[in-house]
Amino acid sequence: MGSRSSISVPFRYLFGPGPSNVPPRILAAGGRPIIGHMHSEMFGIMNDIKKGIQYAFQTSNNMTLAMSGSGHTAMECAVFNIVEPGESVLVAINGIWGERVAEIAERMGAKVHTLFKTPGGHFTNAEIEQALAKYKPVLFFLTHGESSAGLVHPMDGVGDICHKYNCLLLVDSVASLGAAPLLMDQQNIDILYTGSQKALNAPPGTAPVSFSERACHKMFNRKTKPVSYLLDMTHLSNYWGNDGKPERIYHHTGPVSGFFALRESLAILAEMGLENSWSHHTEIAEYLWKGLEDLGLKLFIKDKDLRLPSVTTIAIPEGYDWKELLAYIMKHHRIEFTGGLGPSVGMVLRIGLMGYNCNKANAAMVLAALEDALKQCRKSKA
Ligand code: PMP
């Protein structure tokens, strides 16, 4: 062992909130020989990715591309390009992702206002409208799939309210894309991003994003340059062939293997069909939820319609040490679940069955592992 020998990686069932296991077809795509990031064949693959994202997001936006980086890269790209220092931003915080976006916006000098709920809470359209009227933000951020709480946020009408107040709507779908219905154009979402490593089942490290015409109008008519050169959409739109210019000019070297894998994962989603993918995730999640309740466990999100089908949160069973449960399950079942994240730490255990991992056999394995852990782990408190 050690750095002088070949790499050794254990097998793990990745049944936490991500990354999830990568199917052989996507692994094989990522293992294809590298070509240059500016070769015409690569541009063809990037065009396939663009079409795949347009389908997955249900958008016809021209300004659709994948970031070279994880979900956070897309998050920063959206905020850095849309918002200028001193402008007002409204962020809905009901878990860690709103907290992150508020911090990102604060760092680049925006005037940040927040709407707040404890994990598991969601916002009514009336609450959102009131805050938009009060703070007059240029951008409103909402997490569609709050993976730290296991909540899928209702989207109906939110885009219309934002537009009524001349505000752009930015939505995080890293944990929900492909698992819960989301229609970018129909729901009037201006900027939507996701990650590669959840229901898309590609390796971590690329992040699809799309901008509406309204969003493009704002970000390409700024007075100041975005703080990040790497994430500047004037350059990225050229790299992705979205700016209508005849020539693509070198900006940065994209993750070629990551793009191969992302391209294949989007093809698999298109082959399955979005509606099928949504209903499949719901069906398996419902099977899992019933099994968890049969074990005597309590689901953290009470309202079934607000549960995120890709990431299920359970209240930490009374008397147990949640870290001990997770360690036992990893050691004896090779399964990764996780605890909470940010404000939900100590509140929940999180189980993710996404894309390729989402099937009845895996859900049964999850239930068997939990049943075993509940029997074997010490009940530390009465
Ligand atoms: N948003 C949500 C809803 C997520 O679940 C995650 C990843 N857990 C992120 C954003 C951040 O993505 P990444 O870790 O790829 O930067």
Side-chain angles (χ1 to χ4, degrees):
M1 293 303 282
S3 59
R4 283 166 187 266
S5 57
S6 294
I7 186 171
S8 150
V9 180
F11 178 80
R12 297 267 153 80
Y13 294 102
L14 300 177
F15 299 163
S20 48
N21 295 100
V22 178
R25 178 171 156 191
I26 297 177
L27 279 178
R32 296 292 172 102
I34 298 287
I35 55 173
H37 66 296
M38 304 287 283
H39 292 182
S40 61
E41 295 85 352
M42 193 66 215
F43 292 153
I45 289 164
M46 290 162 79
N47 289 343
D48 291 345
I49 291 173
K50 181 173 163 180
K51 285 199 199 89
I53 300 170
Q54 285 172 329
Y55 172 70
F57 283 6
Q58 291 291 285
T59 183
S60 55
N61 290 337
N62 168 54
M63 201 53 70
T64 299
L65 63 153
M67 303 301 303
S68 305
S70 80
H72 278 84
T73 320
M75 213 185 267
E76 292 204 328
C77 174
V79 175
F80 288 172
N81 283 279
I82 295 293
V83 185
E84 294 200 64
E87 286 183 330
S88 169
V89 170
L90 179 66
V91 181
I93 299 180
N94 58 340
I96 196 173
W97 306 112
E99 288 180 357
R100 288 278 164 97
V101 168
E103 174 159 0
I104 287 166
E106 194 186 294
R107 284 181 182 219
M108 54 72 46
K111 216 181 284 162
V112 180
H113 304 282
T114 57
L115 269 174
F116 182 82
K117 300 272 176 185
T118 51
H122 71 284
F123 306 90
T124 64
N125 286 0
E127 286 170 325
I128 293 169
E129 179 153 12
Q130 226 173 22
L132 290 172
K134 185 169 169 192
Y135 299 120
K136 301 185 177 50
V138 297
L139 183 72
F140 173 55
F141 170 83
L142 187 62
T143 312
H144 180 235
E146 225 315 334
S147 54
S148 63
L151 181 110
V152 64
H153 204 287
M155 291 304 304
D156 281 350
V158 179
D160 295 332
I161 301 171
C162 287
H163 292 177
K164 185 174 153 191
Y165 290 88
N166 205 19
C167 171
L168 296 168
L169 174 60
L170 166 63
V171 173
D172 178 322
S173 70
V174 173
S176 56
L177 187 89
L182 193 62
L183 307 158
M184 183 174 193
D185 288 357
Q186 205 175 307
Q187 291 172 321
N188 280 316
I189 298 167
D190 292 293
I191 310 110
L192 182 63
Y193 64 85
T194 194
S196 55
Q197 76 273 27
K198 309 263 181 169
L200 283 176
N201 295 143
T206 59
V209 63
S210 179
F211 296 82
S212 70
E213 283 292 325
R214 295 159 61 101
C216 288
H217 182 76
K218 170 101 175 72
M219 74 180 169
F220 294 134
N221 289 285
R222 313 170 44 112
K223 294 184 203 78
T224 58
K225 284 183 179 178
V227 291
S228 168
Y229 184 87
L230 180 63
L231 304 182
D232 188 331
M233 277 299 296
T234 51
H235 299 304
L236 291 175
S237 63
N238 176 265
Y239 180 32
W240 280 82
N242 292 345
D243 65 353
K245 298 208 171 122
E247 209 186 337
R248 300 195 200 192
I249 296 161
Y250 167 73
H251 171 246
H252 74 280
T253 309
V256 171
S257 312
F259 286 156
F260 290 168
L262 178 65
R263 185 251 177 241
E264 209 62 6
S265 72
L266 289 161
I268 290 172
L269 179 62
E271 279 170 19
M272 180 172 193
L274 262 180
E275 285 82 2
N276 288 337
S277 184
W278 296 333
S279 57
H280 179 65
H281 280 83
T282 304
E283 185 195 327
I284 301 303
E286 284 177 350
Y287 173 79
L288 177 69
W289 299 336
K290 163 102 180 41
L292 291 168
E293 286 176 330
D294 288 347
L295 286 177
L297 293 163
K298 289 201 179 65
L299 294 165
F300 183 67
I301 305 293
K302 299 278 171 281
D303 184 345
K304 227 177 178 182
D305 294 337
L306 294 174
R307 284 184 202 147
L308 182 58
S310 43
V311 180
T312 293
T313 39
I314 48 183
I316 293 166
E318 223 171 292
Y320 286 94
D321 174 344
W322 60 272
K323 285 187 186 160
E324 190 188 341
L325 287 173
L326 295 181
Y328 179 88
I329 289 166
M330 176 62 90
K331 183 168 176 206
H332 295 275
H333 296 269
R334 290 195 293 167
I335 294 176
E336 176 190 64
F337 301 145
T338 69
L341 188 64
S344 67
V345 169
M347 286 185 183
V348 295
L349 294 179
R350 299 186 297 156
I351 299 166
L353 291 176
M354 299 182 268
Y356 173 67
N357 277 353
C358 181
N359 59 55
K360 254 193 180 163
N362 286 348
M365 207 191 299
V366 164
L367 295 169
L370 272 167
E371 187 176 15
D372 179 35
L374 290 171
K375 274 197 203 120
Q376 300 302 328
C377 289
R378 223 164 2 105
K379 258 203 137 182
S380 46
K381 290 175 251 154

